Amino acid sequence: MRITTVGDPVLRERAAEVSLEELRTPELQRLIDELIETRRQAGGAGLAASQVSVLKRIAVVEVDDATRRRYPYKPPFPLTVIVNPVLEPLSGETLLINEGCLSVPGLRGDVERYARVLVQYFDRNGARREVVVDGLTAGTFQHEVDHLDGVLFLDRADPRSLSTWEQFERHHMARFLERIGPYT
Ligand code: ZN
């Protein structure tokens, strides 16, 4: 599927809740397969349906070898399909994470994220699930759920922290890795 980019109004819409009946349809199951495949090819840490222009509250998170070519410091995380996710911060502690986004080619920036969150969601079979995630993984889940609300990391980033990937690696990466060391 084609990943759309910043400026496309679809990225600014709130995605709709998915009913369990709808989730069982071949169309939605195919959409989930395509999200998984598209994320694997693009190599991000996650992909929300909004990014492929489908306004349903579905996202995939996975940190595999393809992800780690883009973000070498992210801890591995197994494929997780989240439907109608709800996030709850488990403490007020936050973490300044330098993020990128497949829908914002070329740019990265610092975003303050909750360090530990409870994620309640339905899996692709409609079973109710929950997981507690922390550190960079918690940041990834917050980034994906933001997409489902029409929010991009650019909205939350300190504009003065924005950089190209090249300049990030040249000037900012060492300090960032030091800062997030305990979470990798
Ligand atoms: Zn994104």
Side-chain angles (χ1 to χ4, degrees):
M1 300 182 96
R2 195 178 160 276
I3 299 175
T4 196
T5 47
V6 57
D8 186 336
V10 77
L11 289 172
R12 295 316 197 164
E13 299 278 325
R14 184 183 187 278
E17 255 80 24
V18 178
S19 72
L20 293 183
E21 193 180 15
E22 189 184 8
L23 183 57
R24 278 187 222 107
T25 62
E27 290 73 23
L28 264 279
Q29 291 296 317
R30 194 173 327 119
L31 168 65
I32 290 168
D33 289 336
E34 287 174 348
L35 280 174
I36 293 168
E37 186 53 34
T38 304
R39 202 242 21 108
R40 284 181 178 157
Q41 281 177 18
L47 185 67
S50 314
Q51 293 178 273
V52 295
S53 308
V54 178
L55 287 169
K56 306 279 184 195
R57 299 188 80 76
I58 301 175
V60 298
V61 172
E62 182 177 32
V63 176
D64 60 2
D65 289 346
T67 316
R68 287 161 66 90
R69 278 193 287 277
R70 188 175 157 91
Y71 302 110
Y73 46 82
K74 288 211 184 208
F77 194 80
L79 171 66
T80 304
V81 176
I82 54 174
V83 179
N84 299 341
V86 176
L87 295 184
E88 188 189 321
L90 292 180
S91 84
E93 190 197 337
T94 61
L95 187 61
L96 195 59
I97 300 180
N98 186 277
E99 299 189 3
C101 178
L102 295 170
S103 293
V104 185
L107 275 187
R108 306 182 55 131
D110 287 340
V111 183
E112 194 172 9
R113 299 292 192 185
Y114 289 108
R116 193 171 168 81
V117 294
L118 169 68
V119 190
Q120 295 178 300
Y121 62 98
F122 293 91
D123 68 16
R124 66 181 299 168
N125 302 313
R128 198 184 281 274
R129 304 247 180 200
E130 56 178 53
V131 63
V132 174
V133 284
D134 56 18
L136 297 171
T137 308
T140 299
F141 275 87
Q142 288 164 82
H143 180 114
E144 298 314 323
V145 173
D146 269 354
H147 274 302
L148 302 179
D149 292 329
V151 173
L152 298 175
F153 85 87
L154 296 172
D155 311 345
R156 299 192 187 277
D158 171 358
R160 293 181 59 90
S161 76
L162 294 176
S163 70
T164 62
W165 285 63
E166 184 194 347
Q167 298 298 344
F168 172 74
E169 279 166 29
R170 189 178 299 166
H171 297 291
H172 308 287
M173 188 154 169
R175 226 172 322 147
F176 172 59
L177 292 181
E178 210 171 290
R179 190 167 79 226
I180 57 147
Y183 298 95
T184 55

